[in-house]
Amino acid sequence: MLRSKEKFVELCKGLKLPLNGEACCSNEMLVKHIYDKYFESRITEVDVPPWLDSSHNLAKSLYITTNQTRFIKPSDEDVWIFGYGSLIWRPDFPFIDRKRGYIRGYKRLFYQNSIDHRGTQEKPGRVVTLVPTASYNSYVYGMAYRISAEHRDEVLAHLDHREKNGYDRCDVQFYEYPEQSGNEFSITMYIATPDNTSYAGNIWQIPKIAQQIFTAAGPSGPNREYLFSLANAMRALFPGEDDRHLYTLEAEVKKLISDHEPQLLEKALKQEILNIIKTGNVDGDVRETVRDVEQLCKECTQPGWREDLLAKELHCMRELAEVIPAEKSTSSPSESIKSSVLLK
């Protein structure tokens, strides 16, 4: 309970809440008022991912042939880089040409932890990796980027730093899409060593990977955004081509969002509000309580706010399985994988 009716009235005025009589002097009623006014709509709002945000124009950018502002003539000293994860829709280096295509003899899997882009050290996210397979007919679709000789050294230095956690370059054969006879060439990609500390292939079940993505976010944004952007980009660039691992995982995460996220976020937010009220009850400073509620509102507009609250709520429950049982997966580790070589 608030210490006095006067403090309650002052708080309601500060937060522009309706004065609803003595019944609202209870913490439970006050939490409900604050949640209903400031947070309920935030949960039901759908955050627009960059893929669907017209200001980013990603759909159009997937088909541009260069991001250079001036013409740079191709040369034999140019290098081609293969991108199969976020580089498909967000290359962060200059290129003079880009082609759709695939490499053979690999699988793309969410078997790599991300602690610096789509997760944190405490709460890693998941990103795609490549693992070699026994079948030469196993395709991984992606984008080939031509880096001019002028920018080659700086781009490779940038990628060396980006993939610095045990990654080495290797060359593979790239095939253009749609297939055309003779349209193939050597391309460079980055491969991690088998003792890569971020390897996560030991947890391969789709439901468990989905749960990890569901609650992860990092400096580059929510983990789910990475998953959904990759799936949407693949559909746009390679219509009709199936990537069962990617699309099954996408469906699983979307199911977690629709089935569990609203209830978990409501519970987490109400607990945050209650903690703020209890602190205000102790020190009696209504202005500080108002500021804390406003700060919480601000935090709920920042990228990753959902994942932060979900992770906190589920951590309080100790086991994610108490709320989201991981059904027995029909998937199994690929028997055709030769080794644990990874590509971030």
Side-chain angles (χ1 to χ4, degrees):
M1 300 284 289
L2 290 173
R3 285 185 172 182
S4 67
K5 183 176 180 180
E6 289 72 23
K7 289 291 184 182
F8 167 73
V9 171
E10 185 181 346
L11 180 62
C12 287
K13 288 182 178 179
L15 291 173
K16 298 181 175 60
L17 295 174
L19 295 173
N20 198 22
E22 295 289 342
C24 291
C25 289
S26 70
N27 285 346
E28 182 180 358
M29 290 299 297
L30 190 54
V31 167
K32 184 178 186 303
H33 271 301
I34 295 173
Y35 173 79
D36 290 349
K37 181 174 179 62
Y38 293 101
F39 298 97
E40 184 176 29
S41 62
R42 191 72 190 98
I43 288 179
T44 57
E45 289 174 1
V46 178
D47 291 325
V48 179
W51 175 266
L52 298 177
D53 188 343
S54 58
S55 66
H56 288 77
N57 210 10
L58 289 180
K60 180 179 179 180
S61 72
L62 289 174
Y63 295 96
I64 64 173
T65 57
T66 178
N67 62 1
Q68 298 290 275
T69 57
R70 62 184 177 84
F71 175 73
I72 300 177
K73 185 178 180 180
S75 76
D76 294 338
E77 301 302 316
D78 299 340
V79 63
W80 286 88
I81 299 293
F82 182 60
Y84 63 91
S86 60
L87 290 184
I88 291 177
W89 74 89
R90 193 170 64 182
D92 58 352
F93 49 76
F95 58 89
I96 60 173
D97 194 9
R98 175 163 61 175
K99 298 180 182 294
R100 291 182 294 167
Y102 59 89
I103 63 171
R104 308 179 70 166
Y106 288 86
K107 274 183 173 292
R108 173 174 37 215
L109 300 167
F110 278 77
Y111 279 11
Q112 183 85 340
N113 278 331
S114 176
I115 61 174
D116 53 356
H117 291 291
R118 297 294 178 167
T120 63
Q121 187 75 46
E122 297 75 23
K123 187 65 181 177
R126 285 287 190 115
V127 292
V128 289
T129 70
L130 292 186
V131 294
T133 68
S135 173
Y136 187 64
N137 292 321
S138 179
Y139 294 0
V140 174
Y141 292 90
M143 298 292 285
Y145 296 93
R146 187 170 194 163
I147 315 303
S148 68
E150 176 182 342
H151 291 129
R152 181 187 60 192
D153 291 344
E154 67 179 83
V155 170
L156 289 176
H158 164 70
L159 292 174
D160 286 345
H161 177 75
R162 172 183 168 133
E163 314 293 346
K164 62 183 180 294
N165 188 24
Y167 291 83
D168 296 315
R169 300 179 204 163
C170 73
D171 293 331
V172 293
Q173 201 70 7
F174 177 85
Y175 303 84
E176 284 194 57
Y177 175 96
E179 293 187 45
Q180 297 181 27
S181 178
N183 282 8
E184 59 187 72
F185 51 86
S186 181
I187 195 169
T188 297
M189 62 183 187
Y190 282 76
I191 295 183
T193 56
D195 60 351
N196 170 24
T197 57
S198 291
Y199 172 65
N202 57 310
I203 301 177
W204 52 265
Q205 298 89 343
I206 288 288
K208 291 186 177 181
I209 298 175
Q211 290 171 12
Q212 189 173 339
I213 293 174
F214 179 56
T215 59
S220 296
N223 202 176
R224 64 181 68 177
E225 177 186 286
Y226 173 97
L227 168 65
F228 298 156
S229 294
L230 178 57
N232 284 328
M234 294 303 296
R235 290 191 184 95
L237 293 169
F238 306 99
E241 301 295 345
D242 186 30
D243 188 326
R244 188 172 66 171
H245 178 83
L246 172 63
Y247 297 143
T248 302
L249 186 55
E250 176 196 30
E252 190 78 14
V253 173
K254 286 184 175 180
K255 188 174 188 300
L256 291 178
I257 293 171
S258 64
D259 291 355
H260 300 285
E261 183 165 286
Q263 299 90 331
L264 290 172
L265 286 179
E266 178 178 350
K267 186 175 180 180
L269 280 168
K270 285 184 174 179
Q271 184 60 52
E272 293 288 318
I273 297 168
L274 180 60
N275 292 340
I276 290 172
I277 292 173
K278 286 181 175 179
T279 301
N281 286 347
V282 172
D283 57 30
D285 189 343
V286 172
R287 291 172 300 174
E288 185 175 338
T289 302
V290 172
R291 286 196 300 268
D292 289 345
V293 171
E294 291 174 345
Q295 178 61 31
L296 182 60
C297 288
K298 183 178 180 180
E299 290 172 0
C300 290
T301 64
Q302 304 303 310
W305 74 271
R306 296 174 185 271
E307 290 79 4
D308 288 345
L309 285 172
L310 289 170
K312 184 181 294 187
E313 177 62 24
L314 293 169
H315 176 72
C316 291
M317 296 178 177
R318 294 189 178 183
E319 293 292 339
L320 189 61
E322 292 180 13
V323 179
I324 307 171
E327 299 177 2
K328 188 174 182 181
S329 176
T330 56
S331 305
S332 62
S334 174
E335 296 179 355
S336 60
I337 294 176
K338 290 181 177 179
S339 68
S340 297
V341 178
L342 301 177
L343 177 63
K344 188 173 181 179

